[in-house]
Amino acid sequence: MISRRKFSQAAVAAAAVAVVGSSTARAAVPQVAGKHTTLGPLKQVNAGVVNVGYAELGSAAGPPVILLHGWPYDIHSYVDVAPMLASAGYRVLVPFLRGYGTTRFLSSETFRNGQQAAVASDVIAFMDALKIKKAILGGFDWGSRTAGVMAALWPERITALVAVSGYLITNLEMNRKPLDPAAELGWWYQYYFATERGVLGYTKNWHEFNKLIWKIASPKWNFTEATYQRSAAAFDNPDHVDVVIHNYRWRQSLAGGEAKYDELEAELQKAPVISVPTITIASDFDGAAADGAAYRKQFTGKYTHRILKGIGHNVPQEAPRDFAKAIVDVSR
């Protein structure tokens, strides 16, 4: 069961089919953004070391779904997905990660840490603050990594998982090994962020920088200026640059983390398997890895892999119906 509340699994599934359709196709064409332009009024809650800004849609009695965004994106990646799921009976929560939107550190003394265990711990604290014992997780980019970390370290808190690009838990030792030149080219911005020039450049030009990333990561997505501006507002956060730079430097072993996360990171460096029911989604962005074969062994529970053709990196915003359907299907 995905909820002990009055919503039965059968009722939710039936409603979901009406909302997202009954197609079982594993490929998709680009889906333009729907009619939604807002997730409604934001809420705030203290959770661990941050005060989290988040949107909440649907009935408080519905099965909880937490949708996690990535970089350089924000909660509006789910502007169409969240209403679909809310209409299907779910309680949908879409938080800003640390360094984005209205999420703020509670103390000026807290290290502006972007390492994977820190970001995942924020979401666990968010669940605790809202008294959510278990939730379905969905994410892409940083959000997919964060959801994967949570499912690996705290499986008892996770009902099911939808992860774009599969298993993204960072292994620092593996990250020290060079890739072939074409693959290295794709990570140019990480090497840029490793330099002081990159820090200065991102600080000065984050607005245009992030728009460029959108275009590179989703070349077939014809997003409007209004769509970008809606998300760009989230990058005007006082901690955004520090968190982003630390995230990528930490992943390259160029910056340390915090000792309080050492035990969690030690577990993550063992490449722990994910045992909760999972649907992974690949898109054109994943290139040769789109078949999911490279990470299949990391998922030991009920598992499905889906490939969406013609879609870039921002899967929930480019293919909202497919993403919403994956959440419904994995929760059954």
Side-chain angles (χ1 to χ4, degrees):
M1 295 292 290
I2 53 180
S3 174
R4 295 186 179 90
R5 302 176 191 274
K6 65 180 181 180
F7 278 76
S8 71
Q9 189 174 30
V12 171
V17 169
V19 174
V20 302
S22 59
S23 171
T24 58
R26 296 297 184 260
V29 295
Q31 301 175 64
V32 296
K35 63 182 180 180
H36 302 100
T37 59
T38 179
L39 289 167
L42 296 178
K43 299 180 178 181
Q44 301 287 145
V45 64
N46 286 347
V49 300
V50 289
N51 177 268
V52 177
Y54 67 102
E56 181 171 358
L57 294 79
S59 169
V65 177
I66 300 175
L67 303 175
L68 302 172
H69 68 82
W71 173 88
Y73 307 94
D74 83 321
I75 63 174
H76 291 95
S77 290
Y78 298 101
V79 72
D80 294 312
V81 170
M84 291 179 192
L85 294 175
S87 295
Y90 294 88
R91 178 189 181 188
V92 186
L93 302 121
V94 195
F96 284 111
L97 300 184
R98 55 170 59 191
Y100 296 80
T102 60
T103 292
R104 297 289 188 274
F105 287 91
L106 295 174
S107 171
S108 61
E109 302 301 314
T110 302
F111 178 38
R112 272 43 179 172
N113 183 350
Q115 76 182 102
Q116 60 186 358
V119 180
S121 294
D122 287 349
V123 185
I124 290 293
F126 175 70
M127 292 174 65
D128 290 343
L130 297 181
K131 296 180 171 55
I132 296 172
K133 292 184 178 180
K134 296 188 71 170
I136 303 157
L137 298 182
F140 74 107
D141 196 81
W142 286 22
S144 184
R145 176 175 293 105
T146 301
V149 167
M150 294 169 65
L153 293 179
W154 299 282
E156 72 281 0
R157 304 296 302 273
I158 313 306
T159 304
L161 169 68
V162 172
V164 173
S165 298
Y167 189 91
L168 295 181
I169 294 175
T170 297
N171 183 290
L172 296 177
E173 185 60 34
M174 289 296 294
N175 270 12
R176 293 187 179 96
K177 299 178 181 180
L179 304 172
D180 65 77
E184 293 283 19
L185 178 63
W187 304 119
W188 64 271
Y189 58 89
Q190 296 193 29
Y191 307 134
Y192 182 64
F193 289 159
T195 69
E196 288 309 301
R197 178 188 178 97
V199 176
L200 293 173
Y202 192 61
T203 301
K204 179 180 180 181
N205 301 313
W206 58 259
H207 187 278
E208 291 305 311
F209 191 102
N210 289 345
K211 185 190 289 187
L212 175 63
I213 296 294
W214 276 34
K215 292 177 180 178
I216 293 172
S218 300
K220 296 180 181 179
W221 181 31
N222 295 316
F223 59 87
T224 66
E225 182 64 19
T227 296
Y228 177 69
Q229 294 293 351
R230 188 169 60 220
S231 288
F235 314 142
D236 193 19
N237 175 299
D239 304 305
H240 178 74
V241 173
D242 287 344
V243 171
V244 169
I245 296 298
H246 182 263
N247 175 281
Y248 289 107
R249 288 188 171 185
W250 178 83
R251 285 164 61 180
Q252 296 294 337
S253 296
L254 299 174
E258 290 181 85
K260 67 180 180 178
Y261 300 115
D262 284 354
E263 185 174 340
L264 297 178
E265 288 297 348
E267 288 300 312
L268 295 173
Q269 299 314 300
K270 298 175 185 177
V273 297
I274 292 173
S275 60
V276 304
T278 299
I279 292 176
T280 54
I281 298 175
S283 68
D284 291 354
F285 177 84
D286 297 285
D291 65 2
Y295 48 76
R296 175 63 184 90
K297 68 181 185 298
Q298 296 303 127
F299 298 94
T300 61
K302 187 176 181 181
Y303 177 79
T304 303
H305 181 66
R306 298 178 179 180
I307 301 173
L308 305 184
K309 297 183 183 297
I311 301 298
H313 193 37
N314 188 355
V315 170
Q317 201 160 3
E318 295 180 71
R321 290 189 178 277
D322 291 281
F323 193 92
K325 187 175 188 303
I327 293 288
V328 172
D329 289 346
V330 81
S331 68
R332 290 176 178 173

